[in-house]
Amino acid sequence: MSTTTLPSPGLSIGPIDVASPVVLAPMAGITNTAYRRLCREYGAGLYVSEMITSRALVERTPESMRLIQHHESETLRSIQLYGVEPNTVAEAVTMLVAEDRADHIDLNFGCPVAKVTRRGGGAALPWKLGLFREIVERAVRAAGDVPVTVKMRKGIDADHLTYLEAGRAAEGAGVASIALHARTASEFYSGTADWSAIATLKETIGSVPVLGNGDIWSAADALRMVDETGCDGVVVGRGCLGRPWLFGDLAAAFRGEDAKAEPTLGEVAAAFRRHAELLVEFYDGDEPHACRDIRKHVAWYFKGYPVGGETRASLAAVESLQQMDDLLSTLDGSQEYPGEAAEGPRGRAGSPKRPSLPDRWLESRELDVAFKAELAAAELHHSGG
Ligand SMILES: Cc1cc2nc3c(=O)[nH]c(=O)nc-3n(C[C@H](O)[C@H](O)[C@H](O)COP(=O)(O)O)c2cc1C
C-alpha cells in the first residue's frame, strides 16, 4: 500500500460528485446495465455504459435503445458515445439530454479496433485536432448542464502522439474530466501501460480532473497509479472482469482502509449466478440470450479456483439457469480464495499492430476536404463491440 497522501476520497466531474475516485471503464459487450449493477453492489464509483454509436442512437436502432437503458438503482446514469461527425454527435447528445436519459456523457477517442480507426474514429480521431475540437465543443454545448468527458489513448503510435494537444483542446472546450489509457492505438492491449504519460497529462491539465487508465489489477495498483502520476482518479477495465468485488476493494483503499475481498469458491459462484440473473433482466427475460452472454465470463470468474476442465467447459456452454445451478452445485463452495492465482492480468492482451487508418490520414493534421464531405458516411451504424 502507498504511504503517501491519498487523494480526496471522492471525485467531482462537473456538478457530479462520485463517492470514490473510481470509474468502471466502458467495455463493449461487458458494461451493460447488468454488469454495472453488479459492480455497484460492491463499491462506489462511476459506472460507464459500453460505447454507443451516435449515428445508431440518432436512428434509434433497437440495439442502441436497449444499450442506453439504466436500472432505477443506477442513480448516476453514464453513457459513452462514439462518433466522427460533429453534427451527429451533437444530435445524439441533444437527444440524451432532452429525453433525460443521462447524467454524464463520455466521448470515446480511444478505440483501436480496425473497423473504427479505418473510418477515422476512436484513437485515430484526435490526430485531426480541429475535428476533435469541433466534436467536443459541439457535444459540450449540446449537453448544457450534463457534464461531458473524454477518454483517449496516447496517440496513434509512438511517432504520432496526440494526447497532450487533445487534452488541452478538450479542456478548452469545457469537458469535465479527461481520461487517458496510457497506450497508443498501435499497442492495442500489449505490453504495459505507460503511466508516465498520465503524469505528463496531469501536469498539463490544470482545471479539470485527469483520470488514469491502464493495467490496474488491484486496489494497490490504483493507489500506486495515483501516487506515481498525481492523477485525480482511476479508470478500471479488464481488472474487474469476473471480479466485481474489486470495486469494494478500490472504495476501501481510497478511504484509507486495507480491506481486500478474498471470496471463497461459493461466493464467486453466487456472484456469477447473480450476474447471469441480471443479464436475464437486461435481455427482457430471454434466458438463452443471457446464458450465451455469461459464457465469456466463466474463465474470468473461476480463474485460479479448483474447478475442473469439464465443469468449466460445461459452464461455458450453459443454456439455462437451471443447468447453471446444477453445475454450480457440484462445486465445493467452501474452497478458500486461492490468492495470486485468482489475481493479475486477464482479458485482452495481444500484440502490437499497425492501426488501420483512412487513406493518407497521417500526412496532415488538418482534415482533408474530401474526407470532411464523407464524415457522415464514416459513422458506424451499430452500437456495442
Ligand atoms: C472487451 C473490451 C471492450 C472495450 N470497449 C471499450 C469501449 O466501448 N469504449 C472505450 O472507450 N474503451 C473500451 N475498451 C477499453 C477500456 O475502456 C480500457 O481503456 C482498457 O481496457 C484499458 O484499461 P484496463 O487496463 O484497466 O483494462 C474496451 C476494453 C475491453 C477489454
Side-chain angles (χ1 to χ4, degrees):
M1 287 270 161
S2 163
T3 50
T4 51
T5 322
L6 288 168
S8 64
L11 171 68
S12 295
I13 296 191
I16 292 177
D17 287 324
V18 187
S20 188
V22 177
V23 177
L24 166 65
M27 287 186 281
I30 310 278
T31 60
N32 48 40
T33 179
Y35 190 60
R36 298 193 307 264
R37 284 171 69 188
L38 186 65
C39 292
R40 269 186 103 250
E41 290 173 4
Y42 290 91
L46 180 63
Y47 301 97
V48 186
S49 79
E50 54 194 302
M51 100 181 190
I52 311 292
T53 299
S54 299
R55 178 80 256 154
L57 183 62
V58 167
E59 289 172 359
R60 294 181 183 269
T61 65
E63 179 66 350
S64 299
M65 298 312 284
R66 203 167 56 75
L67 290 177
I68 60 166
Q69 285 175 64
H70 286 85
H71 185 258
E72 59 195 19
S73 64
E74 294 187 274
T75 42
L76 271 183
R77 299 161 304 166
S78 170
I79 292 181
Q80 188 190 54
L81 287 180
Y82 160 84
V84 294
E85 201 275 312
N87 290 323
T88 312
V89 175
E91 220 183 309
V93 172
T94 301
M95 171 183 161
L96 291 175
V97 173
E99 298 176 11
D100 186 22
R101 292 179 185 271
D103 304 302
H104 162 239
I105 296 170
D106 185 50
L107 301 176
N108 177 340
F109 296 108
C111 189
V113 306
K115 76 170 180 191
V116 163
T117 57
R118 191 188 311 129
R119 293 160 187 258
L125 200 141
W127 179 251
K128 304 293 182 188
L129 193 59
L131 175 62
F132 172 84
R133 186 180 285 117
E134 193 181 341
I135 291 176
V136 180
E137 280 175 357
R138 294 283 307 277
V140 169
R141 214 177 313 145
D145 295 336
V146 173
V148 172
T149 62
V150 292
K151 176 166 176 286
M152 56 190 185
R153 287 196 176 224
K154 282 171 64 184
I156 292 176
D157 57 31
D159 296 326
H160 301 91
L161 297 178
T162 53
Y163 71 106
L164 293 178
E165 285 154 314
R168 278 191 289 261
E171 185 181 28
V175 299
S177 72
I178 301 172
L180 179 66
H181 177 193
R183 284 185 173 84
T184 61
S186 73
E187 290 174 297
F188 276 74
Y189 293 87
S190 67
T192 45
D194 165 22
W195 289 3
S196 73
I198 299 168
T200 308
L201 183 64
K202 174 64 190 164
E203 281 162 18
T204 307
I205 302 297
S207 65
V208 293
V210 167
L211 309 180
N213 175 227
D215 300 352
I216 290 176
W217 309 109
S218 65
D221 286 345
L223 293 187
R224 191 166 53 82
M225 178 188 275
V226 170
D227 192 15
E228 288 179 14
T229 69
C231 66
D232 303 287
V234 297
V235 182
V236 181
R238 293 164 299 164
C240 68
L241 294 172
R243 298 167 79 214
W245 42 85
L246 181 57
F247 288 95
D249 291 3
L250 289 161
F254 281 110
R255 284 193 307 265
E257 296 162 19
D258 193 3
K260 182 175 166 214
E262 300 197 329
T264 61
L265 179 53
E267 287 164 338
V268 172
F272 176 74
R273 174 66 161 78
R274 170 107 184 109
H275 191 166
E277 265 166 49
L278 294 171
L279 281 170
V280 175
E281 246 185 78
F282 171 59
Y283 289 117
D284 296 326
D286 184 345
E287 197 173 312
H289 197 163
C291 287
R292 283 196 298 281
D293 190 322
I294 197 73
R295 294 174 188 172
K296 63 176 169 254
H297 297 269
V298 171
W300 297 323
Y301 274 98
F302 296 103
K303 180 178 185 290
Y305 285 86
V307 176
E310 212 171 295
T311 309
R312 282 171 192 269
S314 304
L315 283 169
V318 76
E319 283 172 357
S320 69
L321 291 183
Q322 185 57 56
Q323 203 187 350
M324 176 184 287
D325 288 340
D326 292 344
L327 288 162
L328 295 178
S329 71
T330 65
L331 302 178
D332 172 5
S334 67
Q335 290 284 338
E336 294 291 329
Y337 184 68
E340 264 180 38
E343 299 170 2
R346 58 202 44 235
R348 282 179 192 170
S351 43
K353 316 181 211 175
R354 198 143 144 231
S356 298
L357 297 169
D359 263 0
R360 302 169 55 206
W361 190 251
L362 293 176
E363 279 177 19
S364 158
R365 298 218 53 182
E366 300 301 320
L367 194 62
D368 197 71
V369 180
F371 191 83
K372 189 154 195 181
E374 286 169 18
L375 272 179
E379 288 286 357
L380 292 176
H381 288 256
H382 298 286
S383 289

